[in-house]
Amino acid sequence: MLYVLVAVLYLVTLAENRWKQYCFCDVTATILPANNTMLRGRVIDRVIMALHEKKLPYKEHVINLTKGEQFQPWFLRINPRGEVPVLKDGVRVIPDSGRILDYLEDNFSNGDTPRLIPLDQGPEIRQKVLQFRTVIDHIPAGTVTMGSFFHPEFCQNPKQPFIQPVRKALMAAEKNSADVLRMHAERNPEIQDILLQKAKFQETKHASVTDKDEYKKILNQVDSVLSQVEKELQSHTEDQENWWLCSDRFTVADIGLTILLDRLNRLGLEHYFWEDGKKPHISQYYRRVQQRDSYKKTIPSALSLVKMFIQTQAPLIVGVVTAMTVVVGGIYYYRKNK
């Protein structure tokens, strides 16, 4: 059984003749609202979707990271660098979501746990899977996300969870994130250099998301990758119409692509990249993958996103949302009895 601490930090325990612990956390966790599953990072969703694809059971538990819990002694005992995501298996500590996916692939790929990197379909398909996985994983999704808040002219109709109150909260947190990291550096002298490096990186990232020209370059990078994806999907012959990105099997490359497309869609960037006939094969792919069971289990529903946001905001927000609920309910009652 897997035990997952969600919000931004995940602690997972899996039993298969032995106990394993996994800790997953978005690297931007220190700037996110408390107890907020709806804002968990793309690297987290990739791992969670892989767990569902491999049919590995787990339980979720929410944990608050805004107090710097990843810098607390209990977490530093797991990973002295205070970095996330992390996988801990006995005395082994494995950082990085990509390496975690590789570990799951190497250790849980038999019986009811299918492979996400096929080994029996020839070297060409395997190489293609690894190639697309690499180029998709290199997209700076966090920068794309934050930049869309500062440059809303690129977006059309952002969706849950990126509603206006969330966007404003994250923009404010983004401006303070370097200072937050420096504060934790002072409190944790044993990892001070690491945190100061992160603070410096955060300042560089902030400059790239606030400068429109720099942000446009990042969007061009995303578009280049999606153009490669569109070309690959378009190349499928009639007998391959039920294929996913690289194969008739759903692979680790599909997981990365699915989570990326979902993030772009929720940011309101789908019209910028693939809708309106720009990349019709990606549009069809995204509609199809949303019907997949692992997608439905990984991506929170709109209702759960709103509920989580309400629970993490000030009482005033709760009052406003309650009033909105009354209005919506009133409209529904009026229509029903009209």
Side-chain angles (χ1 to χ4, degrees):
M1 176 63 68
L2 289 156
Y3 296 96
V4 186
L5 284 116
V6 297
V8 197
L9 171 67
Y10 291 74
L11 174 62
V12 186
T13 305
L14 183 144
E16 186 176 282
N17 301 322
R18 64 187 184 218
W19 288 98
K20 295 181 173 60
Q21 288 188 324
Y22 307 86
C23 292
F24 306 113
C25 176
D26 193 325
V27 293
T28 58
T30 54
I31 68 170
L32 295 184
N35 297 333
N36 207 333
T37 55
M38 66 183 181
L39 293 173
R40 69 191 189 193
R42 183 171 66 111
V43 293
I44 306 303
D45 286 337
R46 281 203 319 241
V47 174
I48 296 301
M49 191 171 191
L51 291 171
H52 285 303
E53 284 292 333
K54 285 181 169 294
K55 299 178 175 58
L56 297 174
Y58 68 92
K59 292 182 179 180
E60 292 190 348
H61 304 275
V62 178
I63 190 170
N64 187 333
L65 291 188
T66 57
K67 296 179 181 179
E69 193 167 357
Q70 69 273 38
F71 305 119
Q72 295 298 314
W74 72 267
F75 186 77
L76 293 176
R77 283 194 294 269
I78 297 174
N79 182 9
R81 292 178 59 85
E83 293 181 347
V84 287
V86 172
L87 178 149
K88 183 175 183 291
D89 181 11
V91 297
R92 296 183 60 192
V93 175
I94 305 171
D96 183 76
S97 63
R99 291 174 61 183
I100 292 171
L101 290 176
D102 288 338
Y103 183 88
L104 294 176
E105 184 73 355
D106 292 341
N107 291 273
F108 304 99
S109 293
N110 46 47
D112 293 331
T113 56
R115 281 198 170 275
L116 298 175
I117 303 176
L119 299 178
D120 59 346
Q121 294 188 316
E124 183 178 349
I125 286 182
R126 183 174 184 275
Q127 183 60 35
K128 191 174 292 186
V129 168
L130 295 177
Q131 176 187 349
F132 274 108
R133 173 190 179 180
T134 299
V135 296
I136 292 171
D137 288 356
H138 281 173
I139 291 177
T143 304
V144 173
T145 299
M146 198 60 61
S148 73
F149 304 158
F150 288 94
H151 308 288
E153 63 271 21
F154 293 107
C155 307
Q156 292 186 32
N157 188 31
K159 306 163 191 65
Q160 299 283 2
F162 300 109
I163 57 178
Q164 190 61 22
V166 175
R167 296 164 73 91
K168 288 183 176 180
L170 291 181
M171 287 174 67
E174 165 71 16
K175 296 176 182 178
N176 299 326
S177 58
D179 293 334
V180 171
L181 285 167
R182 290 192 176 90
M183 176 189 69
H184 286 299
E186 294 179 2
R187 295 178 178 178
N188 297 273
E190 66 279 8
I191 56 172
Q192 186 176 74
D193 291 343
I194 296 172
L195 296 180
L196 289 178
Q197 290 176 5
K198 289 182 178 181
K200 185 176 181 179
F201 171 79
Q202 186 59 35
E203 289 175 335
T204 302
K205 172 190 169 187
H206 182 73
S208 66
V209 300
T210 54
D211 184 283
K212 184 175 180 178
D213 290 336
E214 290 300 315
Y215 184 63
K216 185 66 181 295
K217 292 179 182 178
I218 295 172
L219 294 183
N220 289 341
Q221 175 187 345
V222 177
D223 191 60
S224 176
V225 172
L226 292 181
S227 293
Q228 295 178 51
V229 170
E230 177 72 9
K231 183 178 180 180
E232 178 63 26
L233 293 173
Q234 188 176 9
S235 71
H236 294 172
T237 58
E238 290 184 4
D239 61 327
Q240 298 172 339
E241 60 181 359
N242 292 323
W243 275 33
W244 293 99
L245 179 54
C246 306
S247 167
D248 60 333
R249 301 178 194 173
F250 199 79
T251 71
V252 67
D254 291 290
I255 289 177
L257 178 59
T258 298
I259 300 304
L260 173 64
L261 294 178
D262 191 75
R263 171 59 62 89
L264 296 175
N265 177 64
R266 290 178 184 273
L267 291 173
L269 287 168
E270 74 278 15
H271 291 280
Y272 184 88
F273 287 118
W274 70 80
E275 289 294 1
D276 304 322
K278 293 179 179 177
K279 296 180 179 65
H281 294 86
I282 287 182
S283 181
Q284 182 181 3
Y285 177 99
Y286 183 52
R287 288 194 298 270
R288 181 185 172 201
V289 81
Q290 290 179 76
Q291 305 306 313
R292 198 167 181 85
D293 189 53
S294 62
Y295 174 92
K296 296 176 181 179
K297 291 179 178 179
T298 300
I299 306 301
S301 67
L303 180 61
S304 67
L305 294 175
V306 173
K307 179 181 178 181
M308 182 59 67
F309 179 68
I310 294 173
Q311 292 174 344
T312 60
Q313 302 306 307
L316 177 61
I317 298 295
V318 176
V320 171
V321 175
T322 301
M324 291 174 60
T325 303
V326 171
V327 172
V328 173
I331 293 174
Y332 173 76
Y333 178 81
Y334 171 76
R335 288 178 176 175
K336 184 178 180 181
N337 293 277
K338 186 175 181 180

